[in-house]
């Protein structure tokens, strides 16, 4: 896939190591284009059904599902519901995750 965007992290995530917001969509269709970013992304689906493509694998998610997108994974989100779809987005930098993890040998794999 050569048609994607490298998403630059905004000042909030650069300063704090994390960012949290809500995404809401009112029609079926693409929510994002293909993109990558340095942050790990966690999505929690509140309403609606979505198709998430990450590194050429498709996942169909529904309310109550939790999705983890690794750092620098090429991904996109597509709303499948005709009605409102809503999900929480939590982005965490790898450095933030290392700072809050225990300092044992396994934390480097985080």
């Amino acid at each position: 896939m050569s048609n994607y965007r490298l998403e630059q992290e905004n000042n909030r995530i650069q300063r704090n190591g994390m960012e949290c917001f809500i995404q809401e969509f009112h029609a079926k269709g693409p929510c994002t284009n293909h993109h990558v970013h340095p942050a790990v992304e966690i999505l929690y689906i509140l309403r609606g059904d979505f198709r998430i493509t990450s590194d050429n694998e498709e996942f169909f998610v529904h309310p109550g599902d939790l999705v983890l997108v690794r750092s620098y994974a090429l991904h996109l989100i597509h709303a499948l519901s005709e009605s409102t779809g809503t999900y929480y987005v939590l982005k965490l930098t790898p450095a933030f995750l290392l700072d809050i993890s225990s300092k044992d040998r396994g934390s480097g794999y985080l």
Side-chain angles (χ1 to χ4, degrees):
M1 169 68 51
S2 60
N3 190 16
Y4 69 91
R5 179 174 54 91
L6 174 60
E7 188 177 277
Q8 299 298 315
E9 305 295 13
N10 65 32
N11 289 336
R12 187 174 331 146
I13 197 166
Q14 288 176 0
R15 188 174 49 252
N16 300 323
M18 65 179 292
E19 176 183 26
C20 185
F21 54 93
I22 295 175
Q23 291 283 76
E24 188 169 88
F25 300 92
H26 301 285
K28 190 175 185 176
C31 304
T32 66
N33 293 320
H34 277 98
H35 66 284
V36 298
H37 44 74
V40 172
E41 188 169 14
I42 299 171
L43 307 172
Y44 179 74
I45 310 304
L46 289 174
R47 270 183 300 230
D49 300 312
F50 296 89
R51 182 183 72 233
I52 298 174
T53 305
S54 180
D55 288 339
N56 293 321
E57 287 190 68
E58 285 189 335
F59 303 92
F60 294 90
V61 295
H62 314 284
D65 287 348
L66 189 68
V67 179
L68 175 69
V69 179
R70 69 176 176 77
S71 177
Y72 289 106
L74 179 62
H75 61 286
L76 70 92
I77 302 167
H78 190 96
L80 299 175
S81 301
E82 297 289 343
S83 59
T84 301
T86 308
Y87 57 87
Y88 288 119
V89 178
L90 175 62
K91 290 184 177 181
L92 305 166
T93 64
F96 179 83
L97 290 170
L98 284 172
D99 285 347
I100 63 171
S101 69
S102 65
K103 302 301 179 206
D104 65 4
R105 283 185 265 154
S107 68
Y109 294 105
L110 195 63

